[in-house]
Amino acid sequence: MSSSRRRNSEEQVRLVYKGRSWSYPVVTGTEGERAVDISTLRRDTGLITLDPGFVNTGACSSAITFVDGERGILRHRGYAIEDLAEHCVFLEVAYLLIMGKLPNRQEWQRFSSLMNQHSMIHEDMRDFFLNYPERAHPMAVLSAMVVSLSSFYPEIEQEPMEEVPLDITATRLLSKLRTIAAFSYKKSIGEPFVYPSYRMSYCENFLNMMFSSPVNDYWPDPVVVRALNLFLILHADHEQNCSTSVVRFVASAGGSLYASVAAGICALWGPLHGGANQAVIEMLERILREDKGRVDRVIERAKKKDPRTRLMGFGHRIYKTYDPRARIAKDACMKLLARLGLQNDPLLEIALELEEKALNDPYFKERHLYPNVDFYTGIAYRAMGIPTNMFTVMFAIGRLPGWIAHWMECRKDPTQKIARPRQVYIGETARPFIPMDQRP
Ligand code: CMC
């Protein structure tokens, strides 16, 4: 755990309040980022900090992912996202995040065979799918199904974590989430479920479960399989983002892996977070349909500060330069569309124009607003035949290894306390209670 690798430097921050002063140590991470440790602040001074949206607040120390938003750097366990995206399949990156190292040949074989063993979901869970209304959003189904796994596979809640091999717990969830996601799609289009096949790789299996049917002898296109691997890698982890923080919050209370991940899925669903990939395509379609491709109008609307007209897929809390994932996603998206003969996709043309105009507009320049990972991934998923309401599910499948890694890190960290922020109360002050029969 990284808390052992953070250093207390010689530096101190002095706080002066009402004529008294206190010193707080500056701690330094392995990449040189610094934080003031204020863990005794309230005990010392009676004060708390107020930081809406945790813009300046570090909630933990972590050894999983490093992001430098000013320089556009993203590394998992020390490896650059560019290298992982180019050379790995998604499951290798999942292994890296969860186990802390890249697998050797033997570890890889064991991991792959565990993935096959655990890919089925309990037959009784099939009935759950059947009772959802046809128009149910797949994210609702996904989160409900994940938390339901805890009733079917309760071991993880009953045994101390050390007794359940971590790789079995992790693979069980990784493998099953993909099956649940594909089943929820099949249910929504009224087709029979397709079971996972041990002959196929992780991504092949997913595509097969999505698109194969009794009347469609489908075999996944290797170009699409490679692209899917890459897009899932780009989503795999992003340190303390909203959904991962939610996972860690639930974990800090002792919540099970399944309960924590189900909560993370719900957090991811929001349009400011993972739901942005669906919102981007809906925005591009609206521009095509209602604005007749007039990108300028959309940019002007986005500057009006109405949250409903924000440029979706633009901006990021951490990145103040081009999101490195967005750069890779854009390149992969263009290559994929060209290979599939879809290079003239009108939505791609609008996205490219929108990006170019926004990047040259003073409003976006001053605020350092660049395309984020969600800007081009939706166009690529659409080209793969994945329906729009499944885009955030794709993000969830990709983000799962990160959630698992953070859940495990949190549970093993001896310094972890239950997450419990404070508040500044602004409601009514104490007032006399009037019984019902005496109220006017
Ligand atoms: N369109 C127009 N203006 C924007 C946008 C946007 N997409 N994003 C930020 N701004 C403006 C915002 O109005 C504010 O202006 P001002 O300083 O004049 O008040 C300034 O830029 C800073 O914005 P903020 O809301 O304080 O930034 P934040 O760090 O709280 O929010 C964000 C980050 C991602 C929620 C936001 O940029 C946004 O809503 N983007 C669109 C949704 C989106 O694409 N989300 C996916 C994020 S990446 C995937 C993930 O990890 O979830």
Side-chain angles (χ1 to χ4, degrees):
M1 172 59 218
S2 61
S3 54
S4 58
R5 297 184 65 197
R6 74 182 179 210
R7 283 179 286 121
N8 273 350
S9 66
E10 301 296 300
E11 291 173 35
Q12 302 270 324
V13 166
R14 183 173 295 260
L15 176 74
V16 181
Y17 176 60
K18 289 193 174 170
R20 287 188 63 191
S21 78
W22 296 267
S23 287
Y24 294 96
V26 172
V27 292
T28 310
T30 51
E31 289 279 359
E33 70 286 3
R34 283 175 294 180
V36 191
D37 180 349
I38 51 126
S39 44
T40 61
L41 180 72
R42 188 167 182 278
R43 198 174 62 207
D44 296 342
T45 65
L47 295 169
I48 61 165
T49 55
L50 183 62
D51 186 20
F54 308 118
V55 175
N56 308 284
T57 299
C60 61
S61 303
S62 177
I64 301 168
T65 288
F66 171 68
V67 184
D68 181 332
E70 270 72 35
R71 292 190 293 156
I73 294 172
L74 169 61
R75 292 190 208 117
H76 298 312
R77 306 279 189 193
Y79 296 103
I81 186 65
E82 290 79 6
D83 289 335
L84 297 173
E86 187 177 344
H87 301 294
C88 293
V89 290
F90 170 61
L91 275 194
E92 244 176 305
V93 177
Y95 190 99
L96 170 71
L97 287 166
I98 295 165
M99 307 299 174
K101 64 187 276 287
L102 286 167
N104 61 29
R105 209 172 288 264
Q106 203 185 0
E107 289 162 338
W108 179 242
Q109 269 165 5
R110 175 174 149 74
F111 192 55
S112 306
S113 102
L114 279 172
M115 288 303 292
N116 274 328
Q117 271 174 41
H118 293 293
S119 58
M120 302 280 283
I121 54 172
H122 197 290
E123 275 296 288
D124 289 351
M125 283 186 78
R126 279 171 50 105
D127 297 346
F128 293 2
F129 288 95
L130 304 180
N131 291 313
Y132 276 97
E134 211 111 280
R135 295 170 69 87
H137 196 288
M139 284 296 275
V141 180
L142 195 72
S143 62
M145 288 294 169
V146 167
V147 81
S148 304
L149 285 171
S150 56
S151 337
F152 286 90
Y153 306 93
E155 322 64 273
I156 182 137
E157 291 183 73
Q158 287 164 2
E159 299 172 45
M161 203 170 74
E162 291 68 31
E163 288 177 24
V164 183
L166 294 185
D167 51 356
I168 294 193
T169 306
T171 43
R172 183 178 281 154
L173 186 51
L174 269 173
S175 197
K176 291 186 193 321
L177 191 82
R178 170 197 56 176
T179 309
I180 291 170
F183 277 24
S184 69
Y185 170 62
K186 283 296 195 193
K187 153 71 192 163
S188 74
I189 56 167
E191 282 190 6
F193 300 137
V194 177
Y195 287 98
S197 158
Y198 70 93
R199 289 193 192 87
M200 292 183 167
S201 70
Y202 185 88
C203 286
E204 283 173 342
N205 245 318
F206 176 72
L207 292 165
N208 188 53
M209 286 190 276
M210 288 279 292
F211 300 124
S212 150
S213 80
V215 292
N216 179 13
D217 195 12
Y218 174 85
W219 189 263
D221 178 343
V223 171
V224 175
V225 173
R226 177 65 212 135
L228 181 57
N229 267 291
L230 184 132
F231 287 112
L232 295 182
I233 290 171
L234 296 183
H235 289 314
D237 189 44
H238 211 244
E239 48 115 306
Q240 311 307 319
N241 57 84
C242 178
S243 57
T244 303
S245 297
V246 166
V247 168
R248 289 189 81 122
F249 255 61
V250 181
S252 80
S256 77
L257 178 63
Y258 301 126
S260 307
V261 166
I265 291 170
C266 293
L268 184 75
W269 192 1
L272 298 188
H273 191 11
N277 56 12
Q278 174 172 345
V280 168
I281 289 293
E282 288 165 353
M283 175 186 78
L284 296 175
E285 284 172 346
R286 255 194 326 271
I287 297 174
L288 192 63
R289 202 178 50 240
E290 291 166 22
D291 296 299
K292 311 283 176 245
R294 296 271 310 279
V295 162
D296 299 350
R297 277 163 50 171
V298 183
I299 293 197
E300 287 315 308
R301 275 205 300 267
K303 298 186 207 171
K304 291 207 171 117
K305 304 225 167 262
D306 180 343
R308 288 166 305 177
T309 59
R310 278 196 164 187
L311 211 49
M312 300 312 285
F314 256 75
H316 198 275
R317 170 64 60 77
I318 305 284
Y319 291 117
K320 299 304 162 203
T321 181
Y322 214 102
D323 179 339
R325 303 167 302 170
R327 199 183 298 284
I328 301 169
K330 178 181 178 183
D331 184 52
C333 174
M334 309 245 314
K335 284 186 182 143
L336 175 71
L337 265 63
R339 291 289 295 273
L340 297 177
L342 299 170
Q343 61 274 32
N344 297 326
D345 180 352
L347 293 198
L348 177 65
E349 283 169 18
I350 291 177
L352 290 169
E353 190 185 342
L354 201 53
E355 178 187 347
E356 200 214 311
K357 295 229 160 96
L359 291 183
N360 287 306
D361 187 292
Y363 174 94
F364 290 88
K365 275 182 166 168
E366 280 157 22
R367 290 169 181 76
H368 307 287
L369 300 170
Y370 293 85
N372 58 49
V373 69
D374 287 322
F375 195 64
Y376 286 103
T377 45
I379 297 176
Y381 286 141
R382 188 166 161 272
M384 291 178 197
I386 292 167
T388 312
N389 68 356
M390 283 289 288
F391 290 177
T392 313
V393 171
M394 304 308 295
F395 196 149
I397 297 173
R399 185 53 53 92
L400 182 60
W403 289 334
I404 296 173
H406 282 275
W407 184 87
M408 286 174 173
E409 188 178 72
C410 180
R411 291 285 287 256
K412 285 162 140 187
D413 181 356
T415 67
Q416 179 67 49
K417 286 169 170 284
I418 185 167
R420 203 314 185 179
R422 286 188 175 262
Q423 64 167 13
V424 173
Y425 176 70
I426 54 165
E428 296 286 350
T429 53
R431 46 184 174 163
F433 178 77
I434 304 167
M436 174 79 92
D437 56 359
Q438 293 168 30
R439 282 176 219 158

